[in-house]
Amino acid sequence: MKSKLKKIYYKLLKLKNRILHGRPVLVTMYHRVSDVVGDKLTHLTVSVANFENQLVYYKENYQILRLDEDWNSLKKTGLVITFDDGYADNIINALPLLEKYQIPATIFITTLNINTKNEFWWDRLVFDYANCDELFDLPDVKNKVSKSNTVYNDIIDKLNKLSNPDKENWLVEFEKMNQIPFFPREEYRSLTNAELKFLSDHPLITLGIHSHNHYSLGNLSYKEQKQELIISLKKLNELTNRNIKYLALPHGSYNLDTIKIAQELGFLGVLLANNYYSNKENKASRKMNRILMPNIKDEVLLHYLKKYDFRTW
Ligand SMILES: [Zn+2]
C-alpha cells in the first residue's frame, strides 16, 4: 500500500515538474574513456565497451541535445554529453563511437598540459603511490610512513593547496626519495594542438574551457580567477576560429565572482559538477547541473539514470 502511494506521489510530482519546468535534461560528465585504469580515481574512467553501451542506451531512450540547442518542448528526457579535462583518449577512443552513433558532445579543456606529454598531477600521484613500497618516504617528513587511505588523502589535501609548479617539485622529490620510475604515459596525456584543431572543426564536437591550471576557482581571488579563464580562452582561441561559449568548473568549485566573470567574458553557460538534473530554467540562468557517469552498463546504468530521470523529477 505504502509503495503504491509512493508511486502515485512520484507520478504527480513528475507531472507537476513537467508542467512547471519542462522535461529534465541530464547533462552527463565524463573524463577519460579508456581501458587503462589505475587503482585509484577509477570513477574518472569509463571503459570503451561501457561507453559504447551507454551511447546505445542514450540513443534509444533520450532526446540527445547540444548545450546550445533549444531545451523547450522536448519530446523525451533530454541528454547532453560532456567531457572534462581534455584527455587525448577523448579523440582516440570516444570520438569514433560518437561518430558511429552520430552523438554530439562538448569537451572542456584544461589548457595547462595541451600539446605536452605531461600528465595531470592526480594521475601521476596515483602511479607514484601504486609504485612505492608499503613503507615509504614523504618530502619534509622525518620517519617513513605506511600506506593507508588517511595518508593518501592527506597527500591529496597537501597537493591541492600547492601551485602546479610546487606540486611538480613535490612529486619529483617524492619519486626520487622512493625510487619511482615515473615516465609520462601516452594513455594519460592531454590533447595536442593538432587534435584540438581537428576537434574544433568537427561537426559533432564543441570545445569549452575547464580553466588553465585546474585550480578550485572558488578559492581564488576575482583577479586570479579571471586570469585562469582568460589564459585558457586565449590558448583555445589561437587554435580555433569558433567562439568558446561554455565553461566547466574544475572540481565544480565557484563563488559569486566566478559567475560575474563568466558573464563579463560572455559565456553562455557555466557547468557544475553536482550530480543533479538540469532543465530549461538552468539553461536560461546559465548555470547547468551535471551528473558524473560511472563505469557501468545495462541494468546498473538504467537504475543509475532513473534516479535522475524519474524519482527526483
Ligand atoms: Zn576536471
Side-chain angles (χ1 to χ4, degrees):
M1 185 59 195
K2 221 174 168 188
S3 77
K4 218 174 181 184
L5 276 176
K6 226 174 176 181
K7 261 191 185 158
I8 295 170
Y9 168 75
Y10 280 125
K11 274 207 167 142
L12 286 173
L13 189 66
K14 194 175 177 181
L15 189 68
K16 185 194 113 193
N17 279 328
R18 237 171 231 186
I19 294 165
L20 289 178
H21 314 291
R23 287 177 190 267
V25 177
L26 312 185
V27 184
T28 62
M29 174 174 59
Y30 291 90
H31 299 81
R32 299 178 64 232
V33 174
S34 175
D35 294 332
V36 179
V37 191
D39 63 349
K40 291 189 189 296
L41 293 178
T42 48
H43 60 290
L44 298 184
T45 307
V46 173
S47 73
V48 178
N50 281 357
F51 184 66
E52 179 161 18
N53 183 284
Q54 295 180 3
L55 293 186
V56 171
Y57 184 73
Y58 300 157
K59 195 92 187 168
E60 284 167 2
N61 294 284
Y62 296 94
Q63 184 169 344
I64 294 169
L65 300 164
R66 292 170 191 259
L67 285 176
D68 55 6
E69 243 171 292
D70 186 359
W71 289 8
N72 292 298
S73 353
L74 301 178
K75 291 183 182 63
K76 288 177 175 179
T77 296
L79 189 132
V80 176
I81 294 192
T82 73
F83 295 87
D84 278 8
D85 300 337
Y87 285 100
D89 62 52
N90 294 180
I91 194 171
I92 297 166
N93 297 330
L95 185 65
L97 293 170
L98 294 168
E99 284 173 334
K100 182 173 171 186
Y101 298 99
Q102 284 298 296
I103 293 178
T106 300
I107 303 178
F108 293 100
I109 312 295
T110 298
T111 43
L112 178 72
N113 290 335
I114 57 174
N115 220 33
T116 75
K117 288 191 160 80
N118 298 343
E119 291 190 18
F120 289 113
W121 68 267
W122 53 85
D123 291 325
R124 182 170 176 176
L125 177 65
V126 170
F127 176 89
D128 288 355
Y129 194 77
N131 283 282
C132 68
D133 296 334
E134 272 306 307
L135 265 181
F136 63 97
D137 287 303
L138 274 174
D140 306 323
V141 176
K142 214 170 148 203
N143 298 321
K144 281 187 185 287
V145 287
S146 55
K147 282 187 178 176
S148 75
N149 282 341
T150 320
V151 168
Y152 185 76
N153 289 335
D154 286 348
I155 296 174
I156 299 268
D157 285 347
K158 186 183 170 68
L159 291 183
N160 259 326
K161 291 190 187 94
L162 301 179
S163 68
N164 280 334
D166 286 345
K167 283 188 188 96
E168 163 97 21
N169 291 338
W170 191 97
L171 287 163
V172 169
E173 179 70 18
F174 182 75
E175 287 155 5
K176 219 193 286 168
M177 293 174 103
N178 296 290
Q179 293 164 331
I180 298 161
F182 174 77
F183 270 99
R185 297 158 293 175
E186 169 68 12
E187 293 86 359
Y188 289 84
R189 73 169 170 88
S190 292
L191 290 154
T192 64
N193 286 352
E195 287 166 338
L196 283 163
K197 174 90 188 73
F198 177 84
L199 287 171
S200 76
D201 290 333
H202 197 289
L204 289 174
I205 303 296
T206 305
L207 294 183
I209 58 161
H210 192 44
S211 84
H212 182 63
N213 280 298
H214 205 278
Y215 297 149
S216 294
L217 295 177
N219 297 338
L220 302 184
S221 70
Y222 172 92
K223 208 176 146 196
E224 290 164 334
Q225 289 191 50
K226 195 155 189 176
Q227 192 170 330
E228 271 296 309
L229 303 189
I230 285 177
I231 294 173
S232 69
L233 265 180
K234 193 169 170 269
K235 289 209 169 233
L236 278 193
N237 281 333
E238 279 165 7
L239 297 170
T240 158
N241 294 324
R242 291 214 206 161
N243 246 336
I244 306 292
K245 295 179 288 190
Y246 295 92
L247 156 70
L249 300 166
H251 311 284
S253 161
Y254 70 104
N255 58 24
L256 288 177
D257 282 342
T258 323
I259 302 301
K260 199 168 157 224
I261 295 164
Q263 277 169 358
E264 286 165 5
L265 297 177
F267 283 105
L268 295 182
V270 172
L271 285 287
L272 313 181
N274 51 351
N275 279 335
Y276 215 71
Y277 60 81
S278 288
N279 59 30
K280 60 182 183 190
E281 282 153 23
N282 294 116
K283 190 174 153 72
S285 72
R286 303 190 171 190
K287 249 164 70 183
M288 288 171 254
N289 306 313
R290 284 192 303 170
I291 298 161
L292 177 69
M293 287 310 299
N295 188 22
I296 52 174
K297 62 172 181 170
D298 298 337
E299 285 297 297
V300 187
L301 172 70
L302 191 148
H303 285 293
Y304 182 77
L305 288 171
K306 279 272 180 231
K307 244 187 355 197
Y308 301 103
D309 187 15
F310 177 71
R311 291 203 54 191
T312 48
W313 189 248

